[in-house]
């Protein structure tokens, strides 16, 4: 058993999960001290294990998403595998799964099926499009959801729509599953009853598209693709200095615009130029504004450009590479890196984003099936020789249509 601590110490989470969305949610719970038992196929396990081999032979996605969990293998198309899952569910506080809705129902592990039989359980279904509706059984990968929600349409350059460079649809769904589970646990503490939760990637990422939806619905046009610049605020984005380095800065109000003109551009007259008299006007005349700003910064070296922004109190940032992010002085000063053990040796990962007084577990990344025997022994000790077992499947035939 993985040693745990933290505010969720003692909570048992069973996760029938793969890829990103559900593992992201359950890893947050593991970071808070929950015991997360990850149920995997015997023939390769979570398919994220095979995404790449960049972390000393392991998958970068898998290492990122699975520290602190226990791996149990179970063939859910076989009686023994289904029996093991049933036994785990009997003792679980939380169950998370991201099968297709039909496969979950066939297996008898949809949130509503499970909570009907075990009212104290907090069960969460994660899928691409949610249960019901014409898209219920469509496969949903992150790029597909970015496309369906309109994110790709507003990302990139004017000539090239682009995806976001991380699995943002999966992460959005995982975060809503995580916050929903915590909310349901709080409700259970008050009422004694669990909850059936459902999160779809389409709706999770759709919520994050809220400003763009409102801008388009009531403004008549979708936010323009503006590369690394802000689509609806100007000036707000990267600019090149005389040495070729990129500095990103942004303005939020008219007071900052006036200070920027006088202290950074040293062109106080621009504050009264009717082309730039409000943010809406500056966005409308962005090309002319970009030429003026680029001309000034192109004559400055990096230190002078940063110095002017700093003295004027304008928000700015270095456009960092990933190597430069890893070496970020703020992360070093706050000691935000930790070591995670893996089957391929130690790797450095970020600490959880919430800093609190409670201890933060730093569990290892499990090998496939590493904890199967230990978990079976734990169940045997809990249940004794003749346990009365809760059967979450009811009368469902779990052989047909399972997609695990």
């Amino acid at each position: 058993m993985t040693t745990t601590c933290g505010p969720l110490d003692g909570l048992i989470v069973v996760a029938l999960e793969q890829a990103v969305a559900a593992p992201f949610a359950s890893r947050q719970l593991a970071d808070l001290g929950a015991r997360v038992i990850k149920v995997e196929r015997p023939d390769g396990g979570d398919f994220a294990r095979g995404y790449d081999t960049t972390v000393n032979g392991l998958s970068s996605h898998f290492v990122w998403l699975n520290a602190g969990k226990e791996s149990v293998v179970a063939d859910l198309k076989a009686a023994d595998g289904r029996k093991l899952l049933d036994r785990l569910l009997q003792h679980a506080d939380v169950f998370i799964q991201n099968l297709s809705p039909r496969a979950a129902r066939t297996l008898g592990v949809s949130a509503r099926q499970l909570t009907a039989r075990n009212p104290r359980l907090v069960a969460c279904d994660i899928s691409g499009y949610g249960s019901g509706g014409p898209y219920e059984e469509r496969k949903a990968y992150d790029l597909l959801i970015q496309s369906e929600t309109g994110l790709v349409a507003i990302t990139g350059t004017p000539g090239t729509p682009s995806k976001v460079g991380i699995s943002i649809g999966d992460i959005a769904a995982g975060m809503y599953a995580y916050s929903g589970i915590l909310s349901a646990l709080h409700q259970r503490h008050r009422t004694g009853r669990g909850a059936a939760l459902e999160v779809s990637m389409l709706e999770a990422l759709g919520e994050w598209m809220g400003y763009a939806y409102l801008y388009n619905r009531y403004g008549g046009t979708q936010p323009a693709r503006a590369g690394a610049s802000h689509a609806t605020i100007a000036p707000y984005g990267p600019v090149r200095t005389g040495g070729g380095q990129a500095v990103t800065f942004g303005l939020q109000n008219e007071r900052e615009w006036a200070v920027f003109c006088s202290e950074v551009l040293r062109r106080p007259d621009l504050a009264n130029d009717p082309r730039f008299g409000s943010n809406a006007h500056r966005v409308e005349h962005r090309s002319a504004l970009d030429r003026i700003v680029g001309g000034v910064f192109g004559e400055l070296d990096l230190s002078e450009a940063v110095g002017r922004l700093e003295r004027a109190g304008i928000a700015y940032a270095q456009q960092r590479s990933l190597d430069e992010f890893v070496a970020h002085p703020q992360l070093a000063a706050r000691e935000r890196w930790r070591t995670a053990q893996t089957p391929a040796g130690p790797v450095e990962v970020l600490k959880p984003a919430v800093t609190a007084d409670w201890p933060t577990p730093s569990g290892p990344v499990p090998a496939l099936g590493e904890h199967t025997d230990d978990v079976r022994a734990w169940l045997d000790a809990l249940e004794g020789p003749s346990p009365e077992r809760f059967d979450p499947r009811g009368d469902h035939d779990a052989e047909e249509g399972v997609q695990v």
Side-chain angles (χ1 to χ4, degrees):
M1 181 190 304
T2 301
T3 301
T4 60
C5 54
L8 297 185
D9 188 24
L11 193 80
I12 297 175
V13 179
V14 176
L16 185 56
E17 60 180 21
Q18 53 275 315
V20 176
F24 187 85
S26 62
R27 203 216 75 196
Q28 312 309 309
L29 300 173
D31 283 342
L32 294 176
R35 181 183 184 187
V36 178
I37 300 173
K38 181 183 180 78
V39 179
E40 301 188 71
R41 307 169 186 249
D43 57 341
D46 180 344
F47 51 71
R49 288 182 179 272
Y51 279 174
D52 58 65
T53 57
T54 58
V55 185
N56 302 325
L58 303 178
S59 160
S60 54
H61 276 83
F62 192 85
V63 170
W64 165 46
L65 295 167
N66 291 284
K69 302 179 186 181
E70 299 171 58
S71 172
V72 170
V73 294
D75 180 359
L76 300 183
K77 295 182 179 180
D80 182 67
R82 294 197 305 273
K83 180 179 178 181
L84 177 58
L85 178 61
D86 294 349
R87 295 175 70 191
L88 287 170
L89 286 168
Q90 183 179 6
H91 301 287
D93 296 289
V94 175
F95 178 67
I96 307 173
Q97 63 85 15
N98 63 338
L99 308 178
S100 75
R102 182 182 299 164
R105 289 193 300 268
T106 300
L107 192 59
V109 296
S110 74
R112 291 196 179 279
Q113 288 171 314
L114 292 181
T115 54
R117 294 171 173 84
N118 181 359
R120 282 188 54 81
L121 183 68
V122 173
C124 184
D125 299 336
I126 303 175
S127 64
Y129 297 100
S131 59
Y135 282 57
E136 179 185 61
E137 287 302 312
R138 280 204 183 191
K139 292 185 177 180
Y141 305 135
D142 186 81
L143 175 55
L144 309 183
I145 297 299
Q146 289 193 40
S147 298
E148 290 282 353
T149 56
L151 180 56
V152 170
I154 65 168
T155 305
T157 64
T160 307
S162 302
K163 70 180 290 291
V164 175
I166 58 173
S167 300
I168 191 169
D170 285 305
I171 295 168
M175 283 303 298
Y176 282 115
Y178 166 56
S179 62
I181 288 165
L182 293 181
S183 300
L185 288 170
H186 178 66
Q187 175 178 268
R188 189 180 75 170
H189 177 71
R190 292 188 295 106
T191 68
R193 295 187 65 85
L197 311 176
E198 182 180 10
V199 177
S200 83
M201 292 169 63
L202 181 74
E203 292 157 12
L205 189 56
E207 163 62 19
W208 287 11
M209 293 288 291
Y211 112 81
Y213 152 74
L214 291 167
Y215 186 97
N216 179 77
R217 174 80 180 266
Y218 297 100
T221 60
Q222 66 183 29
R225 293 190 298 272
S229 295
H230 198 288
T232 60
I233 303 175
Y236 193 156
V239 64
R240 293 281 175 185
T241 65
Q245 303 95 335
V247 177
T248 300
F249 66 90
L251 309 183
Q252 290 291 312
N253 53 57
E254 297 311 305
R255 180 191 60 79
E256 288 187 346
W257 167 244
V259 171
F260 181 75
C261 291
S262 61
E263 302 297 327
V264 179
L265 299 182
R266 297 185 178 172
R267 289 279 310 275
D269 59 295
L270 291 174
N272 299 314
D273 190 315
R275 294 175 299 171
F276 313 131
S278 69
N279 179 65
H281 287 100
R282 291 192 291 275
V283 171
E284 181 181 356
H285 298 283
R286 186 193 296 271
S287 295
L289 179 59
D290 286 348
R291 286 193 295 272
I292 294 170
V293 173
V296 172
F297 275 79
E299 295 179 355
L300 307 176
D301 63 24
L302 179 63
S303 61
E304 174 63 15
V306 167
R308 289 190 186 186
L309 292 166
E310 184 78 35
R311 289 189 295 272
I314 301 298
Y316 70 93
Q318 178 179 335
Q319 196 174 96
R320 295 178 184 268
S321 67
L322 287 173
D323 283 338
E324 290 168 330
F325 168 71
V326 169
H328 203 294
Q330 184 70 2
L331 296 176
R334 284 174 47 78
E335 300 180 340
R336 298 306 298 166
W337 295 98
R338 64 176 176 174
T339 299
Q341 298 299 324
T342 78
V347 300
E348 296 303 307
V349 296
L350 277 170
K351 293 179 180 178
V354 175
T355 300
D357 292 336
W358 56 65
T360 300
S362 186
V365 177
L368 178 61
E370 178 180 348
H371 303 93
T372 303
D373 291 342
D374 289 344
V375 168
R376 286 184 179 275
W378 167 70
L379 290 170
D380 289 342
L382 281 178
E383 297 169 348
S386 300
E388 293 182 5
R389 300 229 171 92
F390 151 66
D391 181 1
R393 294 174 295 116
D395 297 326
H396 289 273
D397 178 7
E399 291 285 352
E400 182 180 354
V402 176
Q403 300 174 24
V404 181

